[in-house]
Amino acid sequence: MARSPLTREAVLETAAALVRQHGPAALTMRKLAAELGTAVTSIYWHVGNREQLLDALVERTVQDMGAIRPSGRTPAERIVSVARSMRRELRERPHLIAMVHERGLTDRMFLPAQRALVAEVRAAGLSGARAADAVRAVQFQVVGFVLVERNRERSPVQSPGEGELWEPAAAPGDPALARALARPVDPERLFLLSVRTLTEALLAAG
Amino acid sequence: MARSPLTREAVLETAAALVRQHGPAALTMRKLAAELGTAVTSIYWHVGNREQLLDALVERTVQDMGAIRPSGRTPAERIVSVARSMRRELRERPHLIAMVHERGLTDRMFLPAQRALVAEVRAAGLSGARAADAVRAVQFQVVGFVLVERNRERSPVQSPGEGELWEPAAAPGDPALARALARPVDPERLFLLSVRTLTEALLAAG
DNA sequence: ACCTGAACACCGTTCAAGT
DNA sequence: ACCTGAACACCGTTCAAGT
């Protein structure tokens, strides 16, 4: 595909596509060059070395994160809605998000979401250091949950799975508990439960 | 250092040391061979290829995770103590833990901790699916928090840091909030606050 | 200003050959 | 049973040379 003159934008575009589909490990300078129909070394002229290329992709991702529109009737409901938006946005770009995270730009990426959280926390009557704690607790919880979830999906075959390890004997006198632990996790449900519980407890302190 | 006959144990030992100090990326078959004073290819005879070597290291780490001894007077206190133990164990082996996690063995690694959590949750009066939810919510929260924390430490220079972004103007009418958000996160404190809040709220439902 | 190929120093892995 | 070096196919990066 040796086409129109190579441009920084084109390089980033193709690189982003490669990462999105196959992860950052699949982004080699040589494959990228082949994809673009140029010599490997041309890439260096436009975007610098591999590290700088990845940095540029990350920067792009951070810019692309949309604004957050809270919805719901109470502050708690609106915080939960913000959390769900954060999770959705994270899950849509798993590879790129991991790279953003590795570069320590997660906070900057979540600045719009954080502003929304601040507003809701204040609306619930919290202020000062207490309000800051609540905002950060929710933010850590959401990002952490998505990280755990992502890794679980990457290798869904827990060996041996949680299941086998939780024979009824493991929770004597409570077969329902044993059965529940033997079932695979429903992440969506657990996420909602966790965020809702934490949020309501944090706001109740106000 | 061409010494005594090469053994699988020696290979794993040296490999683990390399990973512990410099991370998995620094573990190349050639460097490992140099460290051991053997030919690169000897490693393949003893532990197989690089992937299998990493798998073996992970297996070792999982086995090494100690048992958990809860402490405290109430179930909530004891759950928080379990959470702190989990966090400490995770933080002591950051690289290896990340590898365990990538291979989806986190659940198995935390089986002892999970048993402890189950016991405490039941002691607090929860049972059935509700108890399972509580256990998993705490487990996700702890692992997630440590993952977030770890990535933050790896790249402590948030650019621009949260600080600059939270000029007093950002939280109009609440300079204390703005100041609190401008300060760097105290992970230890935030961890305790988050776990304690979530735990107490989860147990209160029982 | 932009693009190129050759060359370098690194990888993981295979394999035939040694003892 | 254990260890070896040579060889292969892949990396990222530099650099002098082209237009």
Side-chain angles (χ1 to χ4, degrees), chain A residues 177, chain B residues 68-82 113-126 131 134-135 199 203:
Chain A
L177 200 177
Chain B
I68 301 281
R69 273 180 260 96
S71 72
R73 282 168 28 261
T74 66
E77 281 178 19
R78 287 195 291 274
I79 287 177
V80 171
S81 86
V82 170
Q114 203 188 48
R115 285 193 205 282
L117 290 178
V118 166
E120 296 307 332
V121 157
R122 295 185 71 193
L126 296 194
V135 166
T199 300
L203 296 191

Side-chain angles (χ1 to χ4, degrees), chain A residues 28-30 41 44 50:
Chain A
T28 74
M29 302 301 268
R30 290 172 135 99
T41 42
Y44 286 80
R50 187 167 183 276

Side-chain angles (χ1 to χ4, degrees), chain A residues 29 33 38-46:
Chain A
M29 302 301 268
T38 45
V40 204
T41 42
S42 301
I43 298 170
Y44 286 80
W45 199 91
H46 287 284

Side-chain angles (χ1 to χ4, degrees), chain A:
Chain A
M1 321 223 160
R3 274 292 116 80
S4 50
L6 195 57
T7 154
R8 179 183 165 86
E9 261 326 289
V11 175
L12 292 181
E13 198 73 42
T14 309
L18 278 176
V19 168
R20 205 183 297 266
Q21 291 166 35
H22 307 107
L27 178 63
T28 74
M29 302 301 268
R30 290 172 135 99
K31 272 202 203 105
L32 179 54
E35 198 81 12
L36 289 163
T38 45
V40 204
T41 42
S42 301
I43 298 170
Y44 286 80
W45 199 91
H46 287 284
V47 299
N49 64 18
R50 187 167 183 276
E51 190 60 24
Q52 295 169 303
L53 168 56
L54 292 179
D55 285 347
L57 288 183
V58 162
E59 186 57 37
R60 237 169 178 246
T61 306
V62 170
Q63 311 276 4
D64 277 11
M65 286 294 282
I68 302 281
R69 273 180 260 95
S71 72
R73 280 168 29 260
T74 67
E77 280 178 20
R78 285 195 291 274
I79 287 176
V80 171
S81 87
V82 170
R84 299 182 75 169
S85 301
M86 288 166 76
R87 174 163 174 268
R88 192 177 350 97
E89 296 237 42
L90 286 173
R91 287 175 55 80
E92 274 168 11
R93 319 160 168 80
H95 297 307
L96 283 170
I97 293 296
M99 289 163 55
V100 170
H101 202 235
E102 274 164 20
R103 280 163 176 75
L105 296 173
T106 318
D107 288 337
R108 215 185 84 200
M109 183 170 66
F110 276 127
L111 200 71
Q114 202 187 50
R115 286 194 206 281
L117 289 178
V118 167
E120 297 307 331
V121 158
R122 296 185 70 194
L126 297 194
S127 66
R130 216 181 195 44
D133 282 344
V135 166
R136 280 174 165 160
V138 170
Q139 205 170 334
F140 267 66
Q141 159 126 337
V142 171
V143 179
F145 192 99
V146 175
L147 289 179
V148 174
E149 194 182 359
R150 206 176 80 77
N151 285 14
R152 288 183 148 250
E153 280 167 7
R154 225 193 310 177
S155 46
V157 244
Q158 303 271 337
S159 55
E162 263 183 304
E164 299 106 70
L165 296 167
W166 276 103
E167 307 300 315
D174 193 342
L177 200 177
R179 248 181 291 120
L181 283 173
R183 275 195 294 274
V185 177
D186 175 351
E188 178 84 25
R189 207 181 61 81
L190 187 61
F191 177 75
L192 264 181
L193 170 76
S194 302
V195 173
R196 196 167 277 151
T197 305
L198 181 67
T199 301
E200 282 166 5
L202 287 167
L203 296 191

Side-chain angles (χ1 to χ4, degrees), chain B residues 28-31 41 44 49-50:
Chain B
T28 75
M29 301 302 267
R30 291 172 135 97
K31 271 201 203 106
T41 43
Y44 286 79
N49 63 20
R50 187 167 183 274

